[in-house]
Amino acid sequence: RAENASPDDGGQVRRTITMYRDGFVVDDGPYRRLDDPANAEFLRALAMGRTPRELEEEGGGEGNVLVGLVDKRGEEYVESFRSFSGQGTSLGSSAPAASADGTFDPSALGTPATVDESQPTTSVAVRLLNGKRQIVKINLSSTVQDLAAHLREAAGDQSFRLAAGFPPAALTDTSATIEAAGLKGAQVNMQKA
């Protein structure tokens, strides 16, 4: 990011690497874990007192990178919230995928989100409309609607509700996370609407 260069430092690009107990951050970039093999070369260069190659390339490969290290190895990394400042665009139907009573229309459900293995996950056992069982691996931060999206193919064109607990109760808050809805490792029933 050459925008960090300032004219009074001879055109050098400034980078700040903050080291935490289990990882590091370059400037305001993403948190990078120490045990991630993708970071091994970067960390080796730092250990040898050299500028990591990815930072050298940003400076044009001519030693124009000034690296500052901040030692916070006694602390855990705490991610700070940054609000989205861009512009959103809606694709497809503007019809809601679920009604107020938790009924899902399969044609309005989007493609299921991929599981982020770096975040906590769980497996939810779902009893489908045809009586078969399907195990869905999903992030705890995903929503009930995300779970429904994983089931849209099994539903065909049949509207459905999801119910959990004993006695089974409809999951009407489709924006609740899997964790908040108490679905961690749960058994969920798919019901015809």
Side-chain angles (χ1 to χ4, degrees):
R1 292 182 215 164
E3 65 270 10
N4 285 346
S6 61
D8 58 276
D9 60 10
Q12 284 189 324
V13 177
R14 292 178 180 237
R15 290 285 167 261
T16 302
I17 302 170
T18 306
M19 300 297 296
Y20 292 94
R21 181 173 294 139
D22 296 321
F24 64 96
V25 176
V26 179
D27 293 330
D28 291 327
Y31 179 70
R32 297 166 63 177
R33 295 194 47 86
L34 295 176
D35 57 4
D36 184 346
N39 298 324
E41 182 183 348
F42 189 98
L43 293 168
R44 251 191 315 277
L46 280 180
M48 295 187 317
R50 295 187 185 146
T51 301
R53 183 181 308 163
E54 69 183 70
L55 298 182
E56 283 180 352
E57 290 170 357
E58 290 179 7
E62 300 173 10
N64 290 334
V65 180
L66 182 63
V67 177
L69 285 173
V70 178
D71 185 4
K72 292 188 177 183
R73 289 179 292 179
E75 301 176 26
E76 292 290 334
Y77 174 73
V78 178
E79 189 163 357
S80 59
F81 175 76
R82 279 186 243 147
S83 64
F84 176 69
S85 61
Q87 177 177 344
T89 303
S90 177
L91 300 175
S93 171
S94 61
S99 65
D101 69 348
T103 300
F104 292 97
D105 174 5
S107 64
L109 288 168
T111 305
T114 55
V115 176
D116 181 353
E117 296 292 342
S118 69
Q119 299 296 318
T121 62
T122 189
S123 293
V124 177
V126 181
R127 185 66 60 191
L128 303 175
L129 295 174
N130 63 8
K132 292 184 178 177
R133 190 173 161 202
Q134 179 177 334
I135 304 295
V136 177
K137 185 173 182 182
I138 193 165
N139 290 108
L140 292 176
S141 59
S142 295
T143 64
V144 171
Q145 183 162 323
D146 294 331
L147 175 62
H150 282 278
L151 304 170
R152 83 181 162 142
E153 279 187 38
D157 59 357
Q158 173 70 51
S159 292
F160 64 94
R161 278 191 298 273
L162 297 176
F166 189 80
L171 299 170
T172 55
D173 184 0
T174 60
S175 64
T177 65
I178 297 300
E179 189 168 33
L183 299 179
K184 184 176 181 180
Q187 168 78 36
V188 173
N189 294 313
M190 199 173 178
Q191 302 172 337
K192 287 184 181 180

